Amino acid sequence: MTQQNLPILDFAKFREGGTAKAEFIQELGDVTHNIGFFYLKNHGIEQSLLDQALDLSKQFFALPIEKKLEIQMVKSPHFRGYTKLKDEITREKPDSREQLDYMPEYKAIPLDQIPKDQPWLRIQGPNQWPESIPDLKPTLLELQRQKVALAKVLLTAFAESLGQSPDAFAHTYSTSPSVLCKAIHYPGTEQAEQGVGAHKDGGYLTLLLQDEHSGLEVLKNDEWVPATPIKGTFIVNIGELLEIASQGYLKATQHRVITPAVGIDRYSLAFFLTSQLNATVPLLELPAHLQPKNFAITKDPKNPLFTEIGKNFLKGRLRSHPDVAVAHYSDLPQLA
């Protein structure tokens, strides 16, 4: 542990191989079993690309609201595009943030070709981009591509930390992994508000790039602690799919974001790797030395967990964006 509230793991050790790689895998397993959050340094993505992505995101959010609403998410059946303040819901309350959601540029599947029992395949499709900032699309998609590559390598390390072969999860993301990215802006408020309400992420893992302003808080030992920004690092946390796959040994951790003070604007770029939507979560049999430490999978009646990855992902999208649900998914029965 460092003097930070969360541990810092050095990805250079993993790339070094040998004893250093083994130490990283051990640290990864210990940290994500006990805390679920950490900083990752020496991750291999150039700082210049990260700075450019944040700068272009700021340019987007500085556009007049009329321009941003031209690509409002409610126009997309694939949950892509702009969401204005208070229009996303977390734990049944509106979030005080605006954001641009984008995913891989997959081709949409015609609605009549989507099986009735796989409605989550509707999420696949194109993004919406602002015409007035042409560099935004290629920059964010290149960063997304590099984060996907990093996340896949991290998943091999997670598999090894659980006593599995490195490719234990590979069959769930080998083709068309489901990836959600968000460029986010938290305007300052006179009194601290729910930037994002307390929640757990639903996918395999999350990579978060923060600007210089604090706001993210993590529930650690029943206390909310700030995840103070450290330049050059990503905040990494595991999602509910890794909790399910490890049968509770790894724990998805509650976290939230508090709005900054008046006069401060906070920006971040969030990346969530879920895997391909038609996969199911592999339930791993842990080695004997990990089983005594095993936890039960979290039971939350307001947030049931499904082994079907697509069902989990669509459930989260419909709850977070009820306007999109009404506009494009009103034919579906409410997911339990």
Side-chain angles (χ1 to χ4, degrees):
M1 294 288 291
T2 71
Q3 293 181 348
Q4 301 294 330
N5 288 316
L6 303 173
I8 301 177
L9 299 190
D10 187 351
F11 201 54
K13 294 172 64 176
F14 181 85
R15 292 198 177 95
E16 183 179 332
T19 302
K21 178 179 179 180
E23 288 177 356
F24 177 88
I25 291 171
Q26 180 66 47
E27 292 171 354
L28 180 70
D30 290 344
V31 165
T32 49
H33 172 65
N34 292 300
I35 301 175
F37 267 79
F38 61 93
Y39 298 90
L40 185 70
K41 68 178 184 178
N42 294 322
H43 44 69
I45 298 180
E46 292 292 334
Q47 188 64 44
S48 58
L49 176 59
L50 302 177
D51 291 342
Q52 182 184 20
L54 271 177
D55 181 64
L56 288 167
S57 298
K58 293 177 184 179
Q59 292 181 38
F60 170 72
F61 291 118
L63 291 173
I65 184 63
E66 295 80 10
K67 286 291 184 182
K68 291 182 284 191
L69 289 175
E70 289 177 359
I71 58 168
Q72 190 173 12
M73 183 185 289
V74 73
K75 300 177 181 180
S76 167
H78 316 297
F79 294 94
R80 326 290 179 96
Y82 172 71
T83 300
K84 67 181 190 294
L85 287 170
K86 305 285 189 177
D87 266 14
E88 181 166 12
I89 307 298
T90 302
R91 302 297 285 190
E92 302 175 354
K93 294 182 179 180
D95 295 326
S96 294
R97 62 175 178 173
E98 58 175 345
Q99 59 197 5
L100 176 66
D101 284 40
Y102 57 101
M103 305 182 207
E105 293 278 5
Y106 295 141
K107 186 177 180 180
I109 304 173
L111 196 59
D112 60 1
Q113 295 180 23
I114 295 177
K116 296 292 186 182
D117 60 348
Q118 298 181 54
W120 40 86
L121 294 179
R122 297 191 196 182
I123 296 173
Q124 182 171 309
N127 294 305
Q128 298 190 87
W129 300 102
E131 294 182 358
S132 57
I133 309 178
D135 289 341
L136 184 66
K137 175 181 177 179
T139 301
L140 292 188
L141 288 181
E142 174 58 21
L143 180 55
Q144 177 180 255
R145 185 191 68 79
Q146 293 192 29
K147 285 182 175 179
V148 168
L150 172 61
K152 287 181 177 180
V153 176
L154 274 173
L155 275 179
T156 68
F158 274 109
E160 292 190 69
S161 76
L162 295 168
Q164 312 296 312
S165 66
D167 62 354
F169 300 110
H171 67 285
T172 69
Y173 57 73
S174 58
T175 59
S176 302
S178 179
V179 175
L180 171 63
C181 296
K182 293 174 177 284
I184 309 169
H185 171 218
Y186 300 92
T189 55
E190 291 187 3
Q191 295 183 332
E193 296 182 9
Q194 171 179 304
V196 180
H199 68 286
K200 299 179 181 182
D201 292 339
Y204 273 138
L205 55 84
T206 300
L207 305 175
L208 177 70
L209 175 67
Q210 306 188 88
D211 69 3
E212 68 274 21
H213 299 297
S214 295
L216 174 64
E217 296 182 344
V218 176
L219 189 61
K220 177 184 172 187
N221 299 326
D222 297 322
E223 178 185 358
W224 289 106
V225 300
T228 306
I230 302 177
K231 191 173 181 64
T233 69
F234 291 129
I235 289 284
V236 182
N237 64 280
I238 67 168
E240 293 167 331
L241 294 188
L242 272 182
E243 179 174 327
I244 294 171
S246 65
Q247 302 196 52
Y249 180 76
L250 302 181
K251 213 68 169 177
T253 302
Q254 291 262 4
H255 53 287
R256 67 186 184 186
V257 177
I258 304 300
T259 55
V262 170
I264 296 176
D265 291 279
R266 180 176 183 269
Y267 300 89
S268 63
L269 295 172
F271 167 95
F272 309 90
L273 179 69
T274 300
S275 88
Q276 54 209 49
L277 294 177
N278 62 353
T280 56
V281 180
L283 301 179
L284 305 177
E285 183 176 347
L286 301 185
H289 72 279
L290 296 181
Q291 289 180 4
K293 302 177 183 179
N294 202 13
F295 294 162
I297 296 174
T298 301
K299 302 294 185 183
D300 182 349
K302 288 190 175 182
N303 184 36
L305 302 181
F306 307 114
T307 57
E308 302 100 321
I309 288 169
K311 190 174 184 179
N312 259 331
F313 192 58
L314 180 58
K315 174 199 71 175
R317 297 270 80 193
L318 293 173
R319 290 183 175 187
S320 296
H321 298 280
D323 55 343
V324 181
V326 170
H328 302 287
Y329 292 83
S330 59
D331 59 308
L332 296 184
Q334 182 68 33
L335 288 178

